[in-house]
């Protein structure tokens, strides 16, 4: 895949990193992108269980050491909350902190997945079921952008780092 200039996006849990690391090490010419923070959608469960969080963190640390893991997508966790009103930034923050510590802003990129949101009243659900949706029901993407932006700001991200996460890194990795 790498010889063809293609990037592999993988939705693999970092806790399964031994297998994933083995595959990535055997394909050094291929760039990889880890989706959903490398943990799936349920960050509340992950951050509530210190053992599981520690295993995830160790997996992320190992994967971050591999040069051809070009990016960790910071996103995909919103669906786990079920609705905009249920979002808990405090559950996301520890996961984002590890992502920034291990990958740095130069290897993180925004992931929205808002078109696949399973929220009641999300943008995609509203558009699919109603060609003239109520704009107040279209908040899946907006909630995630505001949540992630607020957390990045709390972590001290500069304007340049915001640009890297929200635009430049993805453009570079996917050669857009």
């Amino acid at each position: 895949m790498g010889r063809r200039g293609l990037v592999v996006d993988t939705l693999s849990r970092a806790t399964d990193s031994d297998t994933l690391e083995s595959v990535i090490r055997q394909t050094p010419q291929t760039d990889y992108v880890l989706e959903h923070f490398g943990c799936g959608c349920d960050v509340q469960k992950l951050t509530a269980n210190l053992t599981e969080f520690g295993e995830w963190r160790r997996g992320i640390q190992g994967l971050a050491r591999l040069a051809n893991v070009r990016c960790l997508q910071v996103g995909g966790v919103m669906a786990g909350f079920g609705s905009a009103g249920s979002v808990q930034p405090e559950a996301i923050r520890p996961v984002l902190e590890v992502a920034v510590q291990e990958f740095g802003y130069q290897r993180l990129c925004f992931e929205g997945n808002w078109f696949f949101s399973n929220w009641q009243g999300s943008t995609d659900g509203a558009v699919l079921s109603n060609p003239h949706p109520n704009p107040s029901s279209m908040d899946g993407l907006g909630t995630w952008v505001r949540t992630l932006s607020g957390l990045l700001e709390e972590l001290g991200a500069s304007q340049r780092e915001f640009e890297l996460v929200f635009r430049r890194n993805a453009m570079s990795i996917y050669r857009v």
Side-chain angles (χ1 to χ4, degrees), residues 39-164:
C39 70
C41 292
D42 198 346
V43 294
Q44 306 96 297
K45 180 181 172 195
L46 177 67
T47 57
N49 182 322
L50 293 178
T51 301
E52 187 175 340
F53 185 78
E55 290 171 4
W56 169 81
R57 181 182 197 132
R58 282 186 292 283
I60 287 296
Q61 289 168 333
L63 293 166
R65 286 190 289 267
L66 302 173
N68 57 330
V69 176
R70 291 281 313 279
C71 179
L72 177 67
Q73 288 185 341
V74 291
V77 298
M78 295 303 280
F81 290 102
S83 71
S86 299
V87 174
Q88 300 169 9
E90 66 276 6
I92 300 167
R93 184 182 173 122
V95 175
L96 182 60
E97 286 175 336
V98 170
V100 169
Q101 288 168 359
E102 299 304 327
F103 281 87
Y105 291 106
Q106 68 281 2
R107 290 174 65 202
L108 299 178
C109 60
F110 173 77
E111 173 186 26
N113 276 6
W114 65 276
F115 353 83
F116 302 110
S117 172
N118 60 0
W119 290 2
Q120 178 76 19
S122 69
T123 301
D124 46 293
V127 172
L128 291 175
S129 63
N130 178 359
H132 306 287
N134 176 349
S136 67
S137 71
M138 299 174 65
D139 199 33
L141 177 62
T143 298
W144 179 228
V145 170
R146 285 188 300 277
T147 300
L148 183 58
S149 293
L151 290 169
L152 289 171
E153 189 174 304
E154 287 176 20
L155 294 176
S158 68
Q159 181 63 38
R160 182 178 184 286
E161 290 164 335
F162 268 83
E163 290 173 11
L164 287 171

Side-chain angles (χ1 to χ4, degrees), residues 8-12 20 24 32-36:
V8 175
D9 281 34
T10 179
L11 179 55
S12 300
L20 184 57
I24 293 171
Y32 288 83
V33 172
L34 303 176
E35 296 183 0
H36 301 292

